[in-house]
Every structure is written in C-alpha cells, then in structure tokens.
Amino acid sequence: MARDPRFDPLFEPLQIGPVTAPNRFYQVPHCTGMGYQRPRMLAALRGLKAEGGWGVVCTEYCSIDNSSDETPYPSASLRDDDDVRNLRLMTDAVHAQGALAGVELWYGGHTSSNLLSREPQFDVGSLAVEAELSPPAQSVAMDKSDIEALREMYRRAARRALEAGFDIVYVYACHYYLLHNFLLPEFNQRSDEYGGSVENRVRLLREVIEDVGEIIAGRAALAVRYAAPLPSEDDDPQELVAAFRLLADIPDLWDIASSDYNYEMGSSRYVKEAELQQAVARLKALTTKPVVSVGRFTSPDTMLKQITAGTQDFVGAARPSIADPFLPRKIDEGRLEDIRECIGCNVCYAYDMLGAPLRCTQNPTMGEEWRRGWHPEKIDARHADESVLVVGAGPAGLEAATALGRRGYDVILAEAGEEPGGRINNESRLPGLAEYARVRDWRLGQLARMANVQIYPANRLDADAVIELDSRHVILATGARWRTDGTGRHTTNAFRGCENEQVISLDALFSGDSPHGRVIVYDDDHYYLGTAVALMLSRQGARVTLATPEFRVGSWTRYTNEYSLTSKALADAGIEIVTGQRLVAFEPGRSFFEPVDAGPGVELEADFVVPVGAREPEGELWRTLQARRDEFEAREGLSIRRIGDCHAPGIIAAAVHAGHRAARELGQSETSVKRDRVVV
Ligand code: ADP
Ligand code: SF4
C-alpha cells in the first residue's frame, strides 16, 4: 500500500546545521536501562528504530566524564575510548538504515547519585543531593577551575562523539541537571559572573554550547535540550523564556522538553497526547532554528498537525517509538491500522528507573532485539502445519493468538466471557485508564484480518472440551482471581472477618457490585489499581479511605511517574489516606489495623472493605489437564503450556510478553534467550 499524500509533510527531509534528516520522525533521547552496560543490546534497539523509519535516532543521556553517573540507572557514556567503540555499534546500526544518530552529552549535578564514581557531585552551589539512593551528601559549589574543568570535559566528549560517528551532538540543559540549574534563580545564588542577571546565569550554557560547537563545526549538528516552562510549574516562566531568548539562534536545533516530568513523561491517566505543545510553540516563536519536541504522539493526524501548523519541525517521540518502532514506516506504507499505539502506562520508564532494561506493555519485543533476536515485524513461519488452542483472551491469550496467527498456525482462541479482553475490559473502565483498552483493541484489529484464527467468546472450556477439540498444542491463558483475604506484598495472614459478605473482591466490583457508605480500599498491591479503584468508588459517591501497609499510596507508581498526580487526584477527591497500617480485622461497621512499624494501630469506620492485594491463579484447568495427561500422551508432539496470570500473576506487560514468548517458542526445543550479556 502507498502512503496517503496528506502525510507527505512528515516525510520531507530537513537540514539541521551541516546534516540532513531524511524525514520528520525523530526519536529523542530516551532511557533504556541499557546504556554503557549493554552496548550490543542498545545498538540492536536503536538500529531497529532506524529500520522502522525514524529519521533521527538518539542515545539516552550520555555521561561525559567518570565523575558523573546515576547508578543504578545506566546512562550511555562517552567517558573514554572504550565507550567510543561501544557507541560505534549504535551509530553503525543507525547509519546502516540511512538515519542520523544523535548523542545527548550529559553532566549530572546534585540530582545524580555518583554511586559508581564515588566523586562528589559538582553543581551551581552546595546543594543537598536529591538522588533517592544517595546517602545524605551535598554538591561542590563549582569554582572557576571546576567550571574550566567541566568545559574541558564537554570538549573531550564532543571529540569522542565525532569519533563514534554521531551526526547530532546535544548539550543537555534541562531536567534539573547541572546546566539547567545554573539557569534557575532558585538554585543559582552565585555572586560571580555566573550568577545574578539572566545574562550571567546563561553564561555557562552559552560557553559549553560554543565550546562543543567549535569542535563539531561542519561535521555534526549541535542540539540543545531545553526546558519549556509550563503554566503549572513553579519555575518562573519568564526566567526560562528570557534565557532562551539569549541563545535562540546559536544551536542548530532545539529539543524542547519540560522540567515538569509529570507532564513531559506523564502517565495517560492524567496527561493526554500533545500536552506540551502550547509551551513548545511559545519557544518556537523565538527561534529561527528547527525545533523538536515530544507529546506522546500516537495519531498520525496529530503528528501532521504539529508540522503543518509550525508548532515544531520534527515529531519527537520516545514512548510511541518504543510501543511501535515501525510507526513511521506504517504511515509511509499506508498501514495506519497496524500502528501499535502507546497506552501511556510508563512501564518502559519504570524499568529504567529500576536499573533494568526497558520493556513495553504494548510491544513485547522491546528490549529483546539482541537478547532473544526478536523483531517486532518479523516472526518465523510455523514449524509445522499444526493447530493451537489458546484458552483465555486476556492480554496473554490475545498476544499469543496474534503472534501464532502471524506465524501461520490454525488457532482457536476460546474465551469464557462475552467479550475478549480479560482484565483489560475491567481496568480500562477505571478513571484515567481508557487508553489501556489499546492492548486489547490493537490485537483484536490484527486478529480480525487473520483467516487462520477463530475467536470463540462466551465459551468456557473444561478439560473435556479441551481434549475434544483435539488441537496439537494447548496454551492456557486463563488469568487469575483477586483474593479477598487481604494478603498481598506486606500482609501474609488473612484478616479476621475476610469471609464477610461486605468484603468485596475486585472481580465482584468489576462485575457490578457497588459498595457504598464508608468504604475501605485496602491496597497491598501498590501499583495503579488501588488508587484507581478508590477514585472510581469516590466518584460513585462512596466515602473512601485508602489504607495501605506501605508508606506511600500506590508506591510502585513512583517508577511509572504517576505518583504525584495520583496523590493530587486523591486529595482533590477528598479520599482519606492511611499509610503504614496493616489490616487485621473487619466487622460490619469497623475495620482494625496494626502498624507495620511501631506506634498505635487504627480503627476505621467501614461499611465495606475492598482488598487489592494478591491474586489466585486460575489453575483448575491446568491441574485437571495435568492429571489427565495420559489421555494426551498417545498424541505425539502435543504440548500444553500456561502463560500470563494463570501461571504467575503480574503486570499486563508480563502477560503480553509471556503470550508472545509462547508463540515464538512453539515448535522450538530451547528457550528463546540467545544471549544476555557481552562475554569478553
Ligand atoms: P492474562 O493477564 O494472563 O491474560 P486475564 O485475567 O486478563 O489474564 O485473562 C484471562 C481470560 O481467560 C479471562 O478473559 C477469562 O474469562 C478467560 N478464561 C478463564 N478461564 C477460562 C476457560 N476455562 N475457558 C475460556 N476462557 C477462560
Ligand atoms: Fe507506552 Fe507503556 Fe509501552 Fe511505555 S510501556 S511505550 S508507556 S505502552
């Protein structure tokens, strides 16, 4: 198929200083959790983005010196010649596809851990180190010799960037790292020529830009990543705009981000597509140089609008390029319905925050390009003309059926419920989670075009039915039930009174039970569900208390960048929060808690309790089939496998990955992991 000509503006080349981008699709710097530690994994990932049509593909933030690190988060690195060789792998992979490679030169500051280097952080002043994992420490207020040393680090790194083959070299001046902090009056209290007036505060950034510019002149483009002030921010917008004016036409490209990560990297619960664009337009109007920015663009029309309306010159993307590395190609080939849209869950970001390679809820191949050799658009043909029965059409079953269908197997997908979707059907109805439905809908869209896959909703299969269907392979994806006994990550014992009928399971809630009056949501799961359910019940008119044995509500959501805006939403809804308390008993009217640490327990009024904790794998079918294994034994080659929540309850991304993996591994004698580290 050919591309719709109205999207032509997205495919026009554009010059950036001395280099030319082949189109307007620009993968901005984004973390991978791979960085300097996993150069081959990283090169495979970035090369794949270029293959998918991204005209510019950048590294993540790239440390310029061994005095700056964010351990345990592995940044990229250009600290020495070994790093040059490592990053060459990436630039070669990107260039092989005709794209430009960009590197984001970074120096940390008081927000960085330096746990690897053991060096004190340098910054604009003696500031308390904010890195969560750092012991109490303060940065060194840079003197003139430190400033000169920093400038030299940038110069050296710029030379290495050229050696490594980069076409675009960034100076990174946002997200509260060192160069950003010099711009901000709240941090910059200096009385020398680097502090005070805006001209002085911008001096260091200007010097670094000029230093790097001199070195790369004529060979690579110079980009600056800068924070656009948002109306919601505490930073004085005028300050950042005034500083921008002073530099507006110096670099070859502006990459406009935001210093409020809650918005730039906002979860879809609170932040929708193109959220930054007003703020971007304000800075774009002040420069003649090309501008790139992000907005979790998943709609080709919204992307097009950014270019035709002149809000920005490149469609910047991190998450949309993770969920679908082939997004540009699909637009180019007129295959819009094949675009796998990001759901804005931020699981990708969470894993980097945990110091682990990224993964994606929508795209199970992300991060597995080198390790397992997975390609999002290519999959081996079926190993034999055989049939597969997939039982359960939640995320795991849907993904398994989709990937098996692509391989060419005859697939039956049986689902007990009226509609395929499993947990997605329930969770996407919770406040803010509508985009989660894309996990189901993209797969159903793909399956609808596969003649070899039949979906049978409203078909609960038992062991007899499975055996009768006589498929060569059976994949069980039957999910899990929410437990009602309050057990979870902290709570190992059931609470007294958990069998009471005013204890409502999440499954019952999703099926229509609506507790009212005083409702305790007891969250021992710590991800998004507890808070989302509390918000839903509050909207339905219940007086909700969200209680948790953790010391923050939805504590894991700080990795997915949902935490702050969730706290605000809970406060706005008037939901009472009780932390550090374990549920021990319930009787209609009252619930009793004991402290996780020391101190008094609490007693709360409660008409209903909704526990959000552990789940019970739906394992009956698996167990029965195992017990009747001899009935299968006669059938040579038959395989039975269980995947997703019925095997090990987890997050949606894990279920999708399990489904994909089962499909890839069918007919293979070995696990699909080929390599997971570089061995010297
Ligand atoms: P996962 O996240 O592992 O995909 P879900 O709970 O989202 O798990 O989905 C499991 C699906 O399996 C649900 O839609 C459920 O209705 C379905 N299911 C469970 N048991 C059976 C069964 N015996 N036959 C058919 N479908 C089943
Ligand atoms: Fe989007 Fe979630 Fe995938 Fe990240 S993990 S790219 S937010 S779908």
Side-chain angles (χ1 to χ4, degrees), residues 15-270:
Q15 195 172 345
I16 314 172
V19 298
T20 301
N23 60 35
R24 305 305 179 90
F25 296 98
Y26 191 119
Q27 184 244 274
V28 296
H30 76 71
C31 294
T32 58
M34 298 172 189
Y36 73 93
Q37 291 177 345
R38 299 176 173 99
R40 290 187 187 279
M41 217 180 197
L42 189 71
L45 185 159
R46 303 291 189 200
L48 189 98
K49 299 271 193 86
E51 187 189 338
W54 298 90
V56 179
V57 178
C58 297
T59 61
E60 51 263 85
Y61 63 158
C62 180
S63 175
I64 57 171
D65 188 80
N66 58 15
S67 59
S68 173
D69 68 89
E70 284 213 311
T71 304
Y73 324 130
S75 70
S77 160
L78 270 176
R79 295 184 279 226
D80 56 29
D81 291 344
D82 290 336
D83 285 335
V84 171
R85 277 193 295 280
N86 282 347
L87 280 175
R88 235 315 154 193
L89 298 172
M90 170 195 158
T91 58
D92 284 348
V94 169
H95 290 156
Q97 303 294 336
L100 299 179
V103 61
E104 185 183 40
L105 301 186
W106 162 78
Y107 196 88
H110 79 286
T111 54
S112 300
S113 71
N114 279 11
L115 289 175
L116 177 67
S117 72
R118 302 184 178 196
E119 301 272 356
Q121 295 80 351
F122 285 90
D123 213 320
V124 62
S126 176
L127 305 169
V129 172
E130 277 182 28
E132 196 179 349
L133 297 177
S134 170
Q138 284 182 229
S139 58
V140 177
M142 295 170 80
D143 64 18
K144 295 283 170 51
S145 64
D146 298 324
I147 286 178
E148 185 38 51
L150 179 84
R151 291 178 60 183
E152 183 51 28
M153 289 173 204
Y154 269 100
R155 286 190 284 258
R156 277 201 305 261
R159 281 186 211 104
R160 289 192 198 110
L162 291 179
E163 279 173 51
F166 285 102
D167 312 286
I168 300 175
V169 180
Y170 271 71
V171 171
Y172 185 10
C174 57
H175 300 142
Y176 299 103
Y177 293 123
L178 190 146
L179 293 175
H180 187 198
N181 300 338
F182 267 76
L183 301 176
L184 301 172
E186 79 250 38
F187 293 128
N188 187 341
Q189 317 264 312
R190 298 173 74 100
S191 53
D192 63 3
E193 68 267 38
Y194 291 94
S197 67
V198 65
E199 287 78 8
N200 282 356
R201 279 182 281 113
V202 109
R203 187 179 309 278
L204 179 60
L205 177 55
R206 179 195 286 277
E207 287 172 347
V208 170
I209 292 173
E210 287 170 356
D211 291 340
V212 171
E214 248 170 57
I215 284 162
I216 65 172
R219 298 179 63 191
L222 193 138
V224 177
R225 204 171 205 195
Y226 192 83
L230 291 178
S232 61
E233 283 174 298
D234 295 337
D235 301 339
D236 181 349
Q238 299 317 322
E239 288 289 340
L240 284 166
V241 173
F244 184 87
R245 278 180 200 280
L246 295 175
L247 304 170
D249 286 329
I250 302 180
D252 298 313
L253 172 93
W254 285 101
D255 180 336
I256 305 298
S258 159
S259 45
D260 190 338
Y261 225 52
N262 286 328
Y263 286 90
E264 181 186 329
M265 187 64 203
S267 143
S268 60
R269 283 174 83 174
Y270 308 106

Side-chain angles (χ1 to χ4, degrees), residues 319-320 322-323 341-348 359-362:
R319 288 171 290 176
I322 292 169
E341 291 180 290
C342 167
I343 68 167
C345 61
N346 288 351
V347 159
C348 46
R359 59 214 61 194
C360 173
T361 304
Q362 272 286 55

Side-chain angles (χ1 to χ4, degrees), residues 418-626:
E418 297 293 321
E419 303 286 345
R423 63 185 292 187
I424 297 291
N425 295 345
N426 298 326
E427 295 176 23
S428 62
R429 297 196 326 254
L430 292 169
L433 295 183
E435 288 188 37
Y436 280 41
R438 293 173 174 176
V439 173
R440 173 195 65 207
D441 296 343
W442 183 80
R443 287 164 181 83
L444 288 177
Q446 299 289 301
L447 289 170
R449 287 183 277 133
M450 292 181 190
N452 54 327
V453 182
Q454 311 304 320
I455 308 181
Y456 294 98
N459 263 288
R460 179 175 290 281
L461 302 191
D462 58 15
D464 286 336
V466 170
I467 292 166
E468 246 168 62
L469 277 166
D470 202 24
S471 293
R472 196 76 173 153
H473 306 278
V474 178
I475 294 179
L476 300 184
T478 49
R481 285 184 311 275
W482 288 95
R483 293 174 67 128
T484 51
D485 59 4
T487 55
R489 295 176 76 165
H490 282 255
T491 320
T492 44
N493 293 327
F495 63 92
R496 289 192 303 284
C498 64
E499 64 292 338
N500 198 294
E501 60 183 26
Q502 274 126 305
V503 176
I504 308 290
S505 76
L506 274 193
D507 295 307
L509 197 75
F510 291 138
S511 305
D513 268 21
S514 61
H516 47 273
R518 294 153 305 179
V519 180
I520 306 283
V521 175
Y522 179 61
D523 182 7
D524 201 5
D525 172 73
H526 314 302
Y527 193 20
Y528 57 87
L529 275 169
T531 55
V533 163
L535 287 164
M536 178 187 77
L537 292 173
S538 165
R539 283 186 195 179
Q540 290 172 355
R543 275 169 48 209
V544 180
T545 299
L546 180 57
T548 174
E550 262 286 355
F551 292 90
R552 293 175 173 192
V553 284
S555 58
W556 206 78
T557 61
R558 70 183 193 273
Y559 302 117
T560 52
N561 218 23
E562 290 163 81
Y563 178 74
S564 308
L565 293 179
T566 299
S567 299
K568 182 174 178 318
L570 294 168
D572 291 349
I575 291 171
E576 183 190 15
I577 305 290
V578 174
T579 59
Q581 296 284 336
R582 190 182 290 122
L583 179 62
V584 287
F586 167 71
E587 59 194 43
R590 313 209 81 62
S591 57
F592 304 89
F593 293 79
E594 66 182 22
V596 171
D597 289 340
V602 293
E603 193 181 316
L604 300 172
E605 291 181 17
D607 298 316
F608 292 90
V609 170
V610 180
V612 184
R615 283 177 286 164
E616 190 60 39
E618 194 70 71
E620 189 50 36
L621 188 53
W622 168 259
R623 282 188 291 276
T624 315
L625 287 170
Q626 289 299 306

Side-chain angles (χ1 to χ4, degrees), residues 324-362:
D324 198 338
F326 276 61
L327 187 154
R329 278 260 206 121
K330 289 175 182 175
I331 298 177
D332 195 23
E333 292 169 2
R335 296 193 292 129
L336 303 193
E337 68 285 358
D338 286 338
I339 294 173
R340 208 185 303 98
E341 291 180 290
C342 167
I343 68 167
C345 61
N346 288 351
V347 159
C348 46
Y349 176 68
Y351 280 83
D352 171 64
M353 290 286 286
L354 297 165
L358 90 174
R359 59 214 61 194
C360 173
T361 304
Q362 272 286 55

